Amino acid sequence: MTERPNIRDLSLEEIESCIATLGKERYRARQILKCLYQGNATSFAEMTTLAREFRDRLEGLFRIAEPRLERCLTAADGTKKLLFALEDGLTVESVLIPGKNHWTACISTQAGCAMGCRFCLTGRGGFKRNLRPSEIVGQMTMLRRHTPEGPNTKNIVMMGMGEPLANYDAVVQAIRLLTSDHGLGHSNRKITVSTCGLAPQIVQLGKEICVNLAISLNAPDDKRRSELMPINRTYPLPELLAACHSYPMPGRRMLTFEYILMAGINDAPADAEQVARLLKGLHCKLNLIPFNEFPGSAFRTPAPEAISAFQQVLLDRNYTAILRASHGRDILAACGQLSGAAAATEKR
Ligand code: SAH
Ligand code: SF4
């Protein structure tokens, strides 16, 4: 017997067309979604706004599944790392980052990652599989229900494990569920997709949906970027930047470029000058992230003076260049440190 599909993977339109075949009114699809995302229903029996006979038919067609929250670690700075178990036993991580007034959730879009960036622990572990929409949105539904910070989480960044644009359809579907009024009702202005630079998907995303975009730049030229990030051999900087120029950012919103600073690799003032030239004409800001070391990492965090000097070059050229504080380093929750391995090590 094939398994019943998880109704949490379906869009409004998909549920509408499915219940039409059962002779049910269209508006019932919205009711179902509201039960799932606002009523937190974990079974069809709980959907008491629907007739009993209809609930029974839905039960025969679908299952309702969410990732299971397995573990929550808290770092010295208050950052929390959440470990989720998926139905097939794989694990993924989300991170909750404290801000002044509210929290930011950093969520995963794949189990592992196939992009192989040399500085990234997730990349080192290789690729396991794409997450389904229910598994991407499920990190949010679970943390909203099961952590004290959940209800006060306003920003969502897709910067956890995986490359969001390599799981394009599920990510777009998840964003629709996160932002729609029948879903979680998050503001699309508060959602950011971070990519290593899949140029065609950047163009497509810009046409299809309105969210913030962050690009992991990490090097000032093609030679070094290709060495650090293999994706650059497929979509080198001219192509990537052309895609960025095409990305519509409404109002005063800016694109974000993330730049990991690695000692002796890409952190010289001349490199900052080159970055400034590269990004000329783009309405953007830069997030400078000092490299987060992990056991066995080949790169080093630059000295504070080198970091300040790099930042100053960009500020002098009128860029907004923010030095991103690293959160949760002591529990390997900082950028590029997620491996989904916490369960294995802690259970022993
Ligand atoms: N795959 C996407 C999103 C996940 S990676 C992307 O690459 O953008 C999230 C961010 O972590 C990226 O900006 C990446 O460059 C950064 N990162 C990866 N490894 C890191 C490390 N060891 N130290 C600091 N930042 C790192
Ligand atoms: Fe994948 Fe992003 Fe890590 Fe590169 S930096 S390996 S794209 S998760």
Side-chain angles (χ1 to χ4, degrees):
M1 196 183 86
T2 55
E3 203 179 18
R4 290 165 299 161
N6 184 0
I7 195 161
R8 286 182 173 273
D9 283 323
L10 269 56
S11 65
L12 175 66
E13 297 71 25
E14 286 166 334
I15 298 179
E16 280 173 350
S17 65
C18 172
I19 64 172
T21 63
L22 303 177
K24 288 287 172 188
E25 308 88 336
R26 245 172 106 97
Y27 74 91
R28 299 273 177 209
R30 274 177 199 271
Q31 270 183 316
I32 296 171
L33 285 171
K34 282 198 171 157
C35 291
L36 288 171
Y37 294 101
Q38 285 150 31
N40 300 324
T42 53
S43 71
F44 289 103
E46 289 166 54
M47 301 187 180
T48 47
T49 47
L50 308 177
R52 173 98 192 241
E53 150 278 335
F54 184 32
R55 283 184 261 153
D56 290 345
R57 297 194 67 185
L58 290 171
E59 178 76 50
L61 287 174
F62 300 108
R63 68 186 203 285
I64 303 179
E66 283 177 282
R68 208 174 55 241
L69 180 55
E70 287 266 286
R71 205 164 245 96
C72 180
L73 295 176
T74 306
D77 64 9
T79 301
K80 296 193 166 189
K81 183 160 82 165
L82 311 174
L83 183 85
F84 292 96
L86 309 178
E87 281 180 291
D88 58 2
L90 286 175
T91 52
V92 292
E93 289 166 335
S94 308
V95 182
L96 273 170
I97 306 154
K100 271 202 204 94
N101 303 313
H102 44 70
W103 290 68
T104 295
C106 174
I107 61 174
S108 296
T109 55
Q110 298 182 310
C113 184
M115 297 296 145
C117 303
R118 284 185 51 215
F119 44 76
C120 176
L121 187 60
T122 307
R124 274 204 185 182
F127 177 68
K128 314 247 170 34
R129 71 165 169 84
N130 278 330
L131 297 192
R132 299 180 218 281
S134 62
E135 294 166 332
I136 301 171
V137 178
Q139 296 166 63
M140 286 308 299
T141 54
M142 293 304 277
L143 73 83
R144 273 167 53 136
R145 296 214 293 279
H146 298 296
T147 67
E149 303 76 20
N152 197 19
T153 299
K154 299 274 186 294
N155 295 310
I156 302 175
V157 294
M158 293 191 174
M159 291 185 191
M161 296 168 73
E163 168 50 45
L165 298 187
N167 186 14
Y168 186 89
D169 291 342
V171 163
V172 168
Q173 172 110 312
I175 293 170
R176 293 209 163 109
L177 288 168
L178 288 168
T179 55
S180 58
D181 56 3
H182 50 262
L184 290 184
H186 274 283
S187 162
N188 62 1
R189 307 174 64 97
K190 305 276 183 202
I191 298 186
T192 302
V193 170
S194 176
T195 179
C196 62
L198 275 70
Q201 284 86 342
I202 290 175
V203 175
Q204 199 185 341
L205 189 75
K207 288 183 184 151
E208 219 168 334
I209 216 163
C210 178
V211 281
N212 300 311
L213 184 69
I215 299 99
S216 299
L217 182 64
N218 299 337
D221 56 53
D222 272 323
K223 183 168 182 292
R224 272 180 281 178
R225 196 164 191 273
S226 292
E227 274 163 22
L228 294 167
M229 305 175 72
I231 190 67
N232 197 67
R233 295 174 207 150
T234 313
Y235 305 114
L237 285 169
E239 205 172 331
L240 173 58
L241 293 169
C244 294
H245 276 278
S246 85
Y247 195 82
M249 291 295 282
R252 295 169 52 77
R253 282 204 264 173
M254 291 191 254
L255 288 173
T256 302
F257 285 90
E258 294 162 292
Y259 193 98
I260 309 175
L261 288 161
M262 291 170 264
I265 304 284
N266 64 355
D267 64 338
D271 298 335
E273 280 167 29
Q274 219 170 328
V275 168
R277 279 197 298 277
L278 205 61
L279 301 184
K280 212 166 166 193
L282 273 167
H283 190 47
C284 67
K285 61 175 187 251
L286 280 129
N287 269 351
L288 305 177
I289 317 169
F291 176 71
N292 287 313
E293 295 180 14
F294 50 84
S297 59
F299 304 106
R300 292 285 161 257
T301 313
E305 308 78 59
I307 295 173
S308 307
F310 192 95
Q311 183 182 24
Q312 196 56 48
V313 170
L314 294 165
L315 296 176
D316 289 346
R317 281 154 186 74
N318 293 322
Y319 280 95
T320 305
I322 299 156
L323 188 61
R324 250 230 323 251
S326 265
H327 294 279
R329 263 202 268 200
D330 50 337
I331 53 167
L332 286 185
C335 292
Q337 295 185 323
L338 300 183
S339 67
T345 46
E346 275 167 40
K347 273 183 182 159
R348 272 199 286 267

